[in-house]
Coordinates of all heavy atoms in Angstrom, one line a residue:
M3 N 40.2 168.3 258.8 CA 41.5 168.6 258.1 C 42.5 169.1 259.1 O 42.2 169.9 259.9 CB 41.2 169.6 256.8 CG 42.3 169.5 255.8 SD 41.8 170.5 254.4 CE 42.8 172.0 254.7
E4 N 43.7 168.6 258.9 CA 44.7 169.0 259.9 C 45.2 170.4 259.5 O 45.4 170.6 258.3 CB 45.9 167.9 259.8 CG 46.5 167.6 261.1 CD 47.4 166.5 261.1 OE1 47.0 165.3 260.8 OE2 48.7 166.7 261.1
K5 N 45.5 171.1 260.6 CA 46.0 172.6 260.3 C 47.5 172.4 260.1 O 48.3 171.7 260.7 CB 45.7 173.2 261.6 CG 45.0 174.6 261.4 CD 44.8 175.3 262.7 CE 44.9 176.8 262.6 NZ 44.6 177.5 263.7
E6 N 47.9 173.3 259.0 CA 49.3 173.3 258.7 C 50.0 174.2 259.6 O 49.5 175.3 260.0 CB 49.5 173.8 257.3 CG 49.9 172.7 256.4 CD 50.3 173.4 255.0 OE1 49.5 174.0 254.4 OE2 51.5 173.1 254.6
T7 N 51.1 173.9 260.2 CA 51.9 174.7 261.1 C 52.6 175.9 260.2 O 52.8 175.8 259.0 CB 52.9 173.9 261.8 OG1 53.8 173.5 261.0 CG2 52.4 172.8 262.6
V8 N 53.0 176.9 261.0 CA 53.7 178.0 260.3 C 55.0 177.5 259.8 O 55.4 177.8 258.6 CB 54.0 179.2 261.3 CG1 54.8 180.2 260.7 CG2 52.7 179.8 261.7
E9 N 55.6 176.7 260.6 CA 56.9 176.1 260.2 C 56.9 175.3 258.9 O 57.7 175.4 257.9 CB 57.5 175.2 261.3 CG 58.0 175.8 262.5 CD 56.9 176.4 263.4 OE1 55.7 176.0 263.3 OE2 57.2 177.4 264.1
A10 N 55.7 174.5 258.8 CA 55.6 173.8 257.6 C 55.3 174.7 256.3 O 55.8 174.4 255.2 CB 54.3 172.8 257.7
K11 N 54.5 175.7 256.6 CA 54.3 176.6 255.4 C 55.6 177.4 255.1 O 55.9 177.5 253.9 CB 53.2 177.7 255.9 CG 51.9 177.1 255.9 CD 50.9 178.1 256.5 CE 49.5 177.5 256.4 NZ 48.5 178.5 257.0
L12 N 56.4 177.8 256.1 CA 57.7 178.4 255.8 C 58.7 177.5 254.9 O 59.4 177.8 254.1 CB 58.5 178.8 257.1 CG 57.8 180.0 257.7 CD1 58.4 180.2 259.2 CD2 57.8 181.3 256.9
G13 N 58.5 176.1 255.2 CA 59.3 175.2 254.6 C 59.0 175.0 253.1 O 59.7 174.4 252.2
L14 N 57.9 175.6 252.6 CA 57.5 175.5 251.2 C 58.1 176.7 250.4 O 58.0 176.6 249.3 CB 55.9 175.6 251.1 CG 55.2 174.4 251.7 CD1 53.7 174.7 251.7 CD2 55.5 173.1 251.1
L15 N 58.6 177.7 251.0 CA 59.2 178.8 250.4 C 60.6 178.6 249.8 O 61.2 177.8 250.4 CB 59.1 180.1 251.4 CG 57.8 180.4 251.8 CD1 58.0 181.5 253.0 CD2 56.9 180.9 250.8
D16 N 60.9 179.3 248.8 CA 62.3 179.3 248.3 C 62.9 180.6 248.6 O 62.2 181.7 248.7 CB 62.2 179.2 246.7 CG 62.1 177.7 246.3 OD1 62.4 176.8 247.2 OD2 61.7 177.6 245.2
Y17 N 64.3 180.6 248.8 CA 64.9 181.8 249.0 C 66.2 181.9 248.2 O 66.8 180.9 247.9 CB 65.5 181.9 250.5 CG 64.4 181.8 251.5 CD1 63.9 180.5 252.0 CD2 63.9 182.9 252.1 CE1 63.0 180.4 252.8 CE2 62.9 182.8 253.1 CZ 62.4 181.6 253.4 OH 61.3 181.5 254.4
K18 N 66.6 183.2 247.7 CA 67.8 183.3 247.1 C 68.6 184.3 248.0 O 68.3 185.5 248.0 CB 67.6 183.9 245.6 CG 69.1 183.8 245.0 CD 68.9 184.3 243.5 CE 70.1 184.3 242.8 NZ 70.1 184.8 241.5
K19 N 69.5 183.8 248.7 CA 70.1 184.6 249.6 C 71.1 185.7 248.9 O 71.8 185.4 248.0 CB 71.1 183.8 250.5 CG 71.8 184.5 251.6 CD 72.6 183.5 252.4 CE 73.6 184.3 253.5 NZ 74.3 183.4 254.2
Y20 N 70.9 187.0 249.5 CA 71.8 188.1 249.0 C 73.0 188.0 250.0 O 72.8 187.7 251.0 CB 71.1 189.3 249.0 CG 71.8 190.5 248.3 CD1 72.2 190.3 246.9 CD2 72.1 191.6 248.9 CE1 72.9 191.3 246.4 CE2 72.8 192.7 248.3 CZ 73.2 192.5 247.0 OH 73.8 193.5 246.3
S21 N 74.1 188.6 249.4 CA 75.3 188.5 250.3 C 75.3 189.5 251.4 O 76.1 189.3 252.4 CB 76.6 188.7 249.3 OG 76.4 190.0 248.6
Q22 N 74.4 190.5 251.3 CA 74.4 191.5 252.3 C 73.1 191.6 252.9 O 72.0 191.3 252.3 CB 74.7 192.8 251.8 CG 76.3 193.0 251.4 CD 76.4 194.2 250.5 OE1 75.8 195.2 250.7 NE2 77.3 194.1 249.6
T23 N 72.9 191.9 254.3 CA 71.8 191.9 254.9 C 70.8 193.1 254.5 O 71.5 194.2 254.1 CB 72.0 192.2 256.5 OG1 70.7 192.1 257.1 CG2 72.7 193.4 256.8
H24 N 69.6 192.9 254.5 CA 68.7 194.1 254.2 C 67.9 194.5 255.5 O 67.2 195.4 255.4 CB 67.6 193.6 253.2 CG 66.7 192.5 253.7 ND1 67.1 191.1 253.6 CD2 65.4 192.4 254.1 CE1 66.2 190.4 254.1 NE2 65.2 191.2 254.4
I25 N 68.5 194.0 256.7 CA 67.9 194.4 257.9 C 69.0 194.8 258.8 O 69.9 194.1 258.9 CB 67.2 193.2 258.7 CG1 66.0 192.7 257.7 CG2 66.6 193.5 259.9 CD1 65.4 191.4 258.2
T26 N 68.8 196.0 259.3 CA 69.9 196.5 260.3 C 69.3 197.1 261.5 O 68.2 197.7 261.5 CB 70.6 197.7 259.6 OG1 71.1 197.3 258.3 CG2 71.9 198.2 260.4
I27 N 69.9 196.7 262.7 CA 69.4 197.3 263.9 C 70.2 198.6 264.1 O 71.5 198.6 264.1 CB 69.8 196.3 265.2 CG1 69.2 195.0 265.0 CG2 69.3 197.0 266.5 CD1 67.7 194.9 265.0
R28 N 69.5 199.6 264.1 CA 70.1 200.9 264.0 C 71.2 201.3 265.1 O 72.2 201.6 265.0 CB 69.1 202.1 264.0 CG 68.2 202.1 262.6 CD 67.5 203.3 262.5 NE 66.9 203.5 261.2 CZ 65.6 203.4 260.8 NH1 64.7 203.2 261.8 NH2 65.2 203.5 259.6
N29 N 70.7 201.2 266.4 CA 71.4 201.6 267.5 C 71.7 200.2 268.2 O 70.9 199.5 268.7 CB 70.7 202.4 268.5 CG 71.6 202.7 269.6 OD1 72.4 202.2 269.9 ND2 71.0 203.8 270.4
T30 N 73.0 199.7 268.2 CA 73.4 198.5 268.8 C 74.3 198.8 270.0 O 75.0 198.0 270.6 CB 74.1 197.6 267.8 OG1 75.2 198.3 267.4 CG2 73.2 197.2 266.8
S31 N 74.3 200.1 270.5 CA 75.3 200.5 271.6 C 74.8 199.8 273.0 O 73.7 199.3 273.0 CB 75.4 202.0 271.7 OG 74.1 202.6 272.2
A32 N 75.6 200.1 274.0 CA 75.1 199.6 275.3 C 73.8 200.4 275.9 O 73.3 199.8 276.7 CB 76.3 199.8 276.3
N33 N 73.6 201.5 275.2 CA 72.5 202.3 275.6 C 71.2 202.1 274.6 O 70.3 202.8 274.7 CB 72.8 203.8 275.7 CG 73.7 204.1 277.0 OD1 73.4 203.5 278.0 ND2 74.7 204.8 276.6
A34 N 71.4 201.1 273.8 CA 70.4 201.0 272.7 C 69.0 200.7 273.4 O 69.0 200.1 274.5 CB 70.8 199.8 271.8
P35 N 68.0 200.9 272.7 CA 66.6 200.8 273.3 C 66.5 199.3 273.5 O 65.6 198.9 274.5 CB 65.6 201.3 272.3 CG 66.4 201.6 271.1 CD 67.8 201.8 271.5
C36 N 66.9 198.4 272.7 CA 66.8 196.9 272.8 C 67.4 196.5 274.3 O 66.9 195.5 274.8 CB 67.7 196.2 271.9 SG 67.5 196.7 270.2
V37 N 68.4 197.2 274.7 CA 69.1 196.7 276.0 C 68.3 197.5 277.2 O 68.0 196.8 278.2 CB 70.6 197.2 275.9 CG1 71.2 196.9 277.3 CG2 71.3 196.7 274.8
K38 N 68.0 198.7 277.0 CA 67.5 199.6 278.1 C 66.1 199.6 278.3 O 65.5 199.9 279.3 CB 68.2 201.0 278.1 CG 69.7 200.9 278.1 CD 70.1 200.7 279.5 CE 71.7 200.8 279.5 NZ 72.3 200.3 280.8
R39 N 65.3 199.6 277.1 CA 63.9 200.1 277.2 C 63.0 199.2 276.5 O 61.8 199.6 276.4 CB 63.8 201.6 276.6 CG 64.4 202.7 277.5 CD 64.6 204.0 276.7 NE 65.7 204.1 275.9 CZ 65.8 204.5 274.7 NH1 64.7 205.2 274.3 NH2 66.8 204.6 273.9
C40 N 63.3 198.0 276.2 CA 62.3 197.2 275.4 C 62.2 195.8 276.0 O 62.8 194.9 275.3 CB 62.8 197.2 274.0 SG 61.6 196.5 272.9
P41 N 61.8 195.8 277.1 CA 61.7 194.4 277.8 C 61.0 193.3 277.1 O 61.4 192.2 277.2 CB 61.2 194.7 279.2 CG 60.4 195.9 279.1 CD 61.2 196.8 278.0
D42 N 59.9 193.6 276.3 CA 59.1 192.7 275.6 C 59.7 192.3 274.3 O 59.3 191.2 273.8 CB 57.7 193.2 275.5 CG 57.0 193.4 276.7 OD1 57.4 192.8 277.8 OD2 56.0 194.3 276.8
K43 N 60.5 193.0 273.7 CA 61.2 192.7 272.5 C 60.2 192.2 271.5 O 60.2 191.0 271.0 CB 62.3 191.7 272.8 CG 63.3 192.3 273.7 CD 64.6 191.6 273.8 CE 65.6 192.4 274.7 NZ 65.1 193.4 275.6
P44 N 59.2 192.9 271.1 CA 58.2 192.5 270.1 C 58.9 192.0 268.8 O 58.1 191.2 268.1 CB 57.3 193.7 270.0 CG 58.1 194.9 270.3 CD 59.0 194.5 271.4
C45 N 59.9 192.5 268.3 CA 60.5 192.0 267.0 C 60.6 190.4 267.2 O 60.5 189.8 266.1 CB 61.7 192.7 266.7 SG 63.1 192.5 267.9
V46 N 61.1 190.0 268.2 CA 61.4 188.6 268.4 C 60.2 187.7 268.4 O 60.0 186.7 267.7 CB 62.1 188.3 269.7 CG1 62.3 186.8 270.1 CG2 63.5 189.0 269.8
T47 N 59.0 188.3 268.9 CA 57.8 187.5 269.0 C 56.8 187.6 267.7 O 56.3 186.8 267.3 CB 57.0 187.8 270.3 OG1 56.9 189.3 270.3 CG2 57.7 187.3 271.5
V48 N 57.1 188.8 267.1 CA 56.2 189.1 265.9 C 56.6 188.4 264.6 O 55.9 188.1 263.9 CB 55.8 190.6 265.7 CG1 57.1 191.3 264.9 CG2 54.6 190.9 264.9
C49 N 57.9 188.2 264.5 CA 58.5 187.8 263.3 C 58.1 186.4 263.0 O 58.6 185.5 263.8 CB 60.0 187.9 263.2 SG 60.7 187.2 261.8
P50 N 57.3 186.0 262.0 CA 56.9 184.6 261.7 C 58.1 183.8 261.3 O 58.0 182.6 261.4 CB 55.8 184.7 260.6 CG 56.2 186.0 259.9 CD 56.8 187.0 261.0
A51 N 59.1 184.4 260.9 CA 60.3 183.6 260.3 C 61.4 183.4 261.3 O 62.5 183.0 260.9 CB 60.8 184.1 259.1
K52 N 61.2 183.9 262.6 CA 62.2 183.9 263.6 C 63.5 184.4 263.2 O 64.6 183.9 263.4 CB 62.4 182.4 264.1 CG 61.1 181.9 264.6 CD 61.3 180.4 265.2 CE 60.2 179.9 266.0 NZ 58.8 180.1 265.6
V53 N 63.4 185.6 262.6 CA 64.7 186.3 262.2 C 65.4 186.9 263.3 O 66.6 186.9 263.4 CB 64.3 187.4 261.1 CG1 65.4 188.4 260.8 CG2 63.9 186.8 259.8
Y54 N 64.7 187.3 264.4 CA 65.2 188.0 265.5 C 65.4 187.1 266.6 O 64.5 186.4 267.0 CB 64.5 189.2 265.9 CG 64.4 190.2 264.8 CD1 63.1 190.3 263.9 CD2 65.3 191.1 264.5 CE1 63.1 191.1 263.0 CE2 65.2 192.1 263.5 CZ 64.1 192.0 262.7 OH 63.9 192.9 261.6
E55 N 66.6 187.2 267.3 CA 66.9 186.5 268.6 C 67.6 187.3 269.5 O 68.6 188.0 269.1 CB 67.7 185.2 268.2 CG 67.9 184.4 269.5 CD 68.9 183.2 269.1 OE1 69.0 182.9 267.9 OE2 69.5 182.7 270.0
W56 N 67.2 187.4 270.8 CA 67.8 188.2 271.8 C 69.0 187.3 272.4 O 68.7 186.3 273.0 CB 66.8 188.7 272.9 CG 67.5 189.3 274.1 CD1 67.5 188.8 275.3 CD2 68.2 190.6 274.0 NE1 68.1 189.9 276.0 CE2 68.6 190.8 275.3 CE3 68.4 191.5 273.0 CZ2 69.3 192.0 275.6 CZ3 69.1 192.6 273.4 CH2 69.6 192.8 274.6
E57 N 70.1 187.8 272.2 CA 71.2 187.1 272.7 C 71.5 187.7 274.0 O 72.3 188.8 274.1 CB 72.5 187.1 271.8 CG 73.5 186.1 272.2 CD 74.7 186.2 271.4 OE1 75.2 187.3 271.2 OE2 75.3 185.2 271.0
A58 N 71.2 187.2 275.2 CA 71.3 187.9 276.4 C 72.8 188.0 276.9 O 73.2 189.0 277.5 CB 70.6 187.0 277.5
A59 N 73.6 187.0 276.5 CA 75.0 187.0 277.0 C 75.7 188.3 276.3 O 76.5 188.9 277.1 CB 75.6 185.9 276.4
H60 N 75.4 188.8 275.3 CA 76.0 189.8 274.6 C 75.1 191.1 274.6 O 75.4 192.1 274.0 CB 76.6 189.5 273.2 CG 77.7 188.4 273.3 ND1 77.4 187.2 273.0 CD2 78.9 188.6 273.6 CE1 78.6 186.5 273.2 NE2 79.5 187.3 273.5
Q61 N 73.9 190.9 275.2 CA 73.0 192.0 275.2 C 72.7 192.8 273.8 O 72.8 193.8 273.6 CB 73.4 193.1 276.2 CG 73.5 192.7 277.6 CD 72.2 192.6 278.3 OE1 71.5 193.5 278.6 NE2 71.6 191.4 278.4
K62 N 72.4 191.7 272.8 CA 72.1 192.3 271.5 C 71.1 191.4 270.8 O 71.0 190.2 271.1 CB 73.4 192.5 270.7 CG 74.1 191.3 270.3 CD 75.2 191.6 269.4 CE 75.9 190.3 268.9 NZ 77.0 190.5 268.0
I63 N 70.4 192.0 269.8 CA 69.6 191.2 268.9 C 70.4 190.8 267.8 O 71.2 191.4 267.1 CB 68.5 192.3 268.3 CG1 67.5 192.8 269.5 CG2 67.7 191.6 267.3 CD1 66.5 191.8 269.9
L64 N 70.3 189.4 267.5 CA 70.9 188.8 266.4 C 69.8 188.6 265.2 O 68.6 188.6 265.4 CB 71.3 187.3 266.6 CG 72.2 187.0 267.7 CD1 72.4 185.5 268.0 CD2 73.5 187.8 267.6
V65 N 70.3 188.9 264.0 CA 69.4 189.0 262.8 C 69.8 187.9 261.8 O 70.8 188.1 261.2 CB 69.5 190.4 262.2 CG1 68.5 190.5 261.1 CG2 69.1 191.5 263.2
A66 N 68.9 187.0 261.6 CA 69.1 186.0 260.6 C 68.3 186.4 259.3 O 67.3 185.8 258.9 CB 68.5 184.6 261.1
Y67 N 68.8 187.4 258.6 CA 68.1 188.1 257.6 C 67.8 187.2 256.4 O 66.7 187.3 255.7 CB 68.9 189.2 257.0 CG 70.2 188.9 256.1 CD1 70.0 188.8 254.7 CD2 71.4 188.5 256.7 CE1 71.0 188.5 254.0 CE2 72.5 188.1 255.9 CZ 72.2 188.1 254.5 OH 73.2 187.7 253.8
E68 N 68.5 186.1 256.1 CA 68.3 185.2 255.1 C 66.9 184.5 255.2 O 66.4 184.0 254.2 CB 69.4 184.2 254.8 CG 69.8 183.4 256.0 CD 70.7 184.0 257.0 OE1 70.2 184.8 257.9 OE2 72.0 183.8 256.9
N69 N 66.4 184.4 256.4 CA 65.0 183.9 256.6 C 63.8 184.8 256.4 O 62.7 184.2 256.5 CB 65.0 183.2 258.0 CG 66.0 182.2 258.2 OD1 66.5 181.5 257.3 ND2 66.4 182.0 259.5
C70 N 64.1 185.9 256.2 CA 63.0 187.0 256.1 C 62.0 186.7 255.0 O 62.3 186.4 253.9 CB 63.6 188.3 255.9 SG 62.4 189.7 255.8
I71 N 60.8 186.8 255.4 CA 59.7 186.6 254.2 C 59.1 187.9 253.9 O 58.1 188.0 253.2 CB 58.6 185.7 254.7 CG1 57.8 186.1 256.0 CG2 59.2 184.3 254.9 CD1 56.7 185.3 256.4
E72 N 59.7 189.0 254.2 CA 59.5 190.4 253.7 C 57.9 190.8 254.0 O 57.4 191.4 253.2 CB 59.7 190.5 252.3 CG 61.3 190.2 252.0 CD 61.6 190.0 250.6 OE1 61.0 190.6 249.7 OE2 62.6 189.4 250.2
C73 N 57.5 190.5 255.3 CA 56.1 190.9 255.7 C 56.1 192.3 256.2 O 55.1 192.9 256.2 CB 55.6 189.9 256.6 SG 56.4 190.0 258.3
G74 N 57.2 192.8 256.7 CA 57.2 194.2 257.1 C 56.8 194.4 258.6 O 56.7 195.6 259.1
A75 N 56.3 193.3 259.4 CA 55.8 193.5 260.7 C 56.8 194.0 261.6 O 56.4 194.7 262.5 CB 55.2 192.1 261.1
C76 N 58.0 193.6 261.5 CA 59.0 194.0 262.5 C 59.2 195.6 262.6 O 59.3 196.1 263.7 CB 60.4 193.4 262.3 SG 61.1 193.6 260.6
R77 N 59.1 196.2 261.5 CA 59.2 197.7 261.4 C 58.0 198.3 262.1 O 58.2 199.3 262.7 CB 59.3 198.1 260.0 CG 60.6 198.1 259.3 CD 60.7 198.9 258.0 NE 59.6 198.6 257.1 CZ 59.7 198.9 255.8 NH1 60.8 199.3 255.3 NH2 58.8 198.6 255.1
M78 N 56.9 197.7 261.9 CA 55.7 198.3 262.6 C 55.7 198.1 264.1 O 55.2 199.0 264.7 CB 54.4 197.6 261.9 CG 54.2 198.0 260.5 SD 52.5 197.6 260.0 CE 52.8 195.9 259.5
V79 N 56.3 197.1 264.5 CA 56.1 196.8 266.0 C 57.2 197.4 266.8 O 57.1 197.5 268.1 CB 55.9 195.4 266.4 CG1 54.6 194.8 265.7 CG2 57.0 194.6 266.0
C80 N 58.3 197.7 266.3 CA 59.5 198.2 267.0 C 59.1 199.5 267.7 O 58.8 200.5 266.9 CB 60.8 198.3 266.2 SG 62.2 199.0 267.3
P81 N 58.9 199.6 268.9 CA 58.4 200.9 269.6 C 59.6 202.0 269.4 O 59.1 203.1 269.8 CB 58.1 200.5 271.0 CG 58.9 199.2 271.4 CD 59.3 198.6 269.9
Y82 N 60.8 201.8 269.0 CA 61.7 202.7 269.2 C 62.3 203.0 267.7 O 63.4 203.5 267.6 CB 62.8 202.4 270.0 CG 62.3 202.4 271.5 CD1 62.0 201.1 272.0 CD2 62.2 203.5 272.2 CE1 61.5 201.1 273.3 CE2 61.6 203.4 273.5 CZ 61.3 202.2 274.1 OH 60.8 202.1 275.3
D83 N 61.6 202.5 266.6 CA 62.0 202.7 265.4 C 63.5 202.4 265.1 O 64.3 203.0 264.6 CB 61.7 204.2 264.9 CG 61.9 204.3 263.4 OD1 61.8 203.3 262.6 OD2 62.2 205.5 262.9
N84 N 63.8 201.2 265.8 CA 65.3 200.8 265.8 C 65.7 199.7 264.7 O 66.8 199.2 264.8 CB 65.7 200.2 267.2 CG 67.0 200.4 267.5 OD1 67.8 201.3 266.8 ND2 67.7 199.5 268.2
I85 N 64.7 199.5 263.9 CA 64.9 198.5 262.8 C 64.8 199.2 261.4 O 63.9 199.8 261.1 CB 63.8 197.3 262.8 CG1 63.9 196.6 264.1 CG2 64.1 196.3 261.7 CD1 63.0 195.5 264.3
E86 N 66.0 199.0 260.7 CA 65.9 199.5 259.2 C 65.8 198.2 258.4 O 66.6 197.3 258.5 CB 67.3 200.2 258.9 CG 67.2 200.9 257.8 CD 68.4 201.7 257.6 OE1 69.0 202.4 258.5 OE2 69.0 201.7 256.4
C87 N 64.7 198.2 257.7 CA 64.4 197.0 256.9 C 63.9 197.3 255.5 O 62.9 197.8 255.2 CB 63.4 196.2 257.6 SG 62.8 194.7 256.7
D88 N 64.9 197.2 254.6 CA 64.6 197.4 253.1 C 64.3 196.0 252.5 O 64.3 195.1 253.3 CB 65.7 198.2 252.4 CG 65.9 199.5 253.0 OD1 64.8 200.3 253.2 OD2 67.1 200.0 253.1
W89 N 64.1 196.0 251.3 CA 64.0 194.7 250.6 C 65.2 194.4 249.9 O 66.0 195.3 249.5 CB 62.8 194.7 249.7 CG 61.4 195.2 250.4 CD1 60.6 196.0 249.9 CD2 61.1 194.8 251.7 NE1 59.6 196.3 250.8 CE2 59.8 195.5 251.9 CE3 61.4 194.0 252.6 CZ2 59.1 195.4 253.1 CZ3 60.6 194.0 253.9 CH2 59.5 194.7 254.0
P90 N 65.6 193.0 249.9 CA 66.7 192.6 249.0 C 66.6 193.1 247.7 O 65.4 193.2 247.1 CB 66.7 191.1 249.1 CG 65.8 190.7 250.2 CD 64.8 191.7 250.2
P91 N 67.7 193.1 246.8 CA 67.7 193.6 245.5 C 66.7 192.5 244.6 O 66.7 191.5 245.1 CB 69.2 193.5 244.9 CG 69.9 193.5 246.2 CD 69.1 192.9 247.4
A92 N 66.4 193.0 243.5 CA 65.4 192.2 242.7 C 66.0 191.0 242.4 O 67.1 190.8 242.1 CB 65.1 192.9 241.3
G93 N 65.3 189.8 242.5 CA 65.7 188.5 242.2 C 66.3 187.7 243.4 O 66.6 186.6 243.3
H94 N 66.3 188.5 244.6 CA 66.8 187.9 245.8 C 65.7 188.0 246.9 O 64.9 188.5 246.7 CB 68.1 188.6 246.3 CG 69.2 188.6 245.3 ND1 69.5 189.4 244.2 CD2 70.3 187.8 245.4 CE1 70.4 189.0 243.6 NE2 71.1 188.1 244.3
G95 N 66.1 187.2 247.9 CA 65.1 187.2 249.0 C 64.2 186.0 248.7 O 64.5 185.0 248.1
V96 N 63.1 186.1 249.4 CA 62.1 185.1 249.5 C 61.3 185.0 248.1 O 61.2 186.0 247.4 CB 61.0 185.3 250.6 CG1 60.1 186.5 250.3 CG2 60.2 184.0 250.7
K97 N 61.0 183.8 247.7 CA 60.3 183.6 246.4 C 58.9 182.9 246.8 O 59.0 181.8 247.3 CB 61.0 182.6 245.5 CG 62.2 183.4 244.8 CD 62.8 182.5 243.6 CE 64.1 182.9 243.3 NZ 64.8 181.9 242.7
Y98 N 57.9 183.6 246.5 CA 56.6 183.0 246.8 C 56.1 182.2 245.5 O 56.3 182.8 244.4 CB 55.5 184.0 247.1 CG 55.8 184.7 248.4 CD1 56.5 185.9 248.6 CD2 55.4 184.0 249.5 CE1 56.7 186.4 249.8 CE2 55.8 184.5 250.8 CZ 56.3 185.7 250.9 OH 56.6 186.3 252.2
K99 N 55.5 181.0 245.8 CA 55.1 180.1 244.6 C 53.5 180.2 244.6 O 52.9 180.2 245.7 CB 55.5 178.7 244.8 CG 57.0 178.5 244.7 CD 57.3 177.1 244.8 CE 58.1 176.8 246.1 NZ 58.3 175.4 246.4
Y100 N 53.0 180.5 243.5 CA 51.5 180.5 243.4 C 51.1 179.3 242.5 O 51.8 178.9 241.6 CB 51.1 181.8 242.7 CG 51.5 183.0 243.4 CD1 52.7 183.7 243.2 CD2 50.7 183.5 244.7 CE1 53.0 184.8 244.0 CE2 51.1 184.5 245.3 CZ 52.3 185.1 245.1 OH 52.6 186.2 245.8
G101 N 49.9 178.9 242.8 CA 49.3 177.7 242.0 C 49.5 176.5 242.5 O 50.2 176.3 243.5
Ligands
LIG404 S1 61.6 195.8 269.1 FE1 63.1 197.3 268.5 S2 63.8 198.3 270.4 FE2 62.8 196.3 270.9 S3 64.3 194.6 270.9 FE3 63.5 194.8 268.9 S4 64.8 196.0 267.6 FE4 65.2 196.5 269.8
LIG405 S1 59.8 191.7 257.5 FE1 58.6 190.1 258.5 S2 59.9 188.1 258.1 FE2 61.2 189.9 257.7 S3 62.3 190.2 259.6 FE3 60.5 191.6 259.6 S4 58.8 190.5 260.7 FE4 60.6 188.9 260.1

């Protein structure tokens, strides 16, 4: 049996985008840990939905919050507690289908 890719599985999900982000990078200054102290940027690699992207030109993390599947991994792996991640209001965000 052929193995399904993560991208294919993500394609099966439904989302209802909320108008405001539920994910905030707390410190985005020039001295932020993302810039100065976090060379491995685990938020970028751990997120299965590719929500985080390091934009080298502007030395900041971009956040595509609408793709979030609400797994909570980014909060756990950020070594500097620099991610604030709540969940979107009820009825918004990812919708999992069962059955
Ligand atoms: S893991 Fe945390 S500190 Fe590191 S780049 Fe991501 S948000 Fe910044
Ligand atoms: S909660 Fe999961 S899917 Fe959402 S941004 Fe964090 S790691 Fe990515």
Side-chain angles (χ1 to χ4, degrees):
M3 199 168 106
E4 220 172 288
K5 228 176 145 183
E6 254 189 303
T7 63
V8 172
E9 287 74 18
K11 288 179 181 173
L12 289 172
L14 298 174
L15 299 174
D16 276 343
Y17 301 86
K18 186 173 179 192
K19 184 180 171 180
Y20 190 57
S21 55
Q22 291 165 34
T23 184
H24 61 284
I25 302 171
T26 306
I27 304 294
R28 291 193 168 109
N29 184 345
T30 57
S31 72
N33 289 317
C36 312
V37 179
K38 300 283 186 191
R39 286 171 280 145
C40 190
D42 294 337
K43 304 195 174 16
C45 61
V46 174
T47 49
V48 80
C49 177
K52 298 187 173 31
V53 167
Y54 300 98
E55 183 187 339
W56 174 244
E57 196 188 43
H60 296 99
Q61 295 285 284
K62 68 175 187 181
I63 292 280
L64 302 178
V65 181
Y67 75 93
E68 56 276 82
N69 298 333
C70 177
I71 60 169
E72 301 170 29
C73 70
C76 53
R77 276 198 310 208
M78 285 194 277
V79 300
C80 177
Y82 297 101
D83 193 24
N84 202 30
I85 296 174
E86 192 174 316
C87 180
D88 293 319
W89 307 134
H94 293 82
V96 68
K97 283 187 200 162
Y98 290 98
K99 294 184 246 175
Y100 299 97

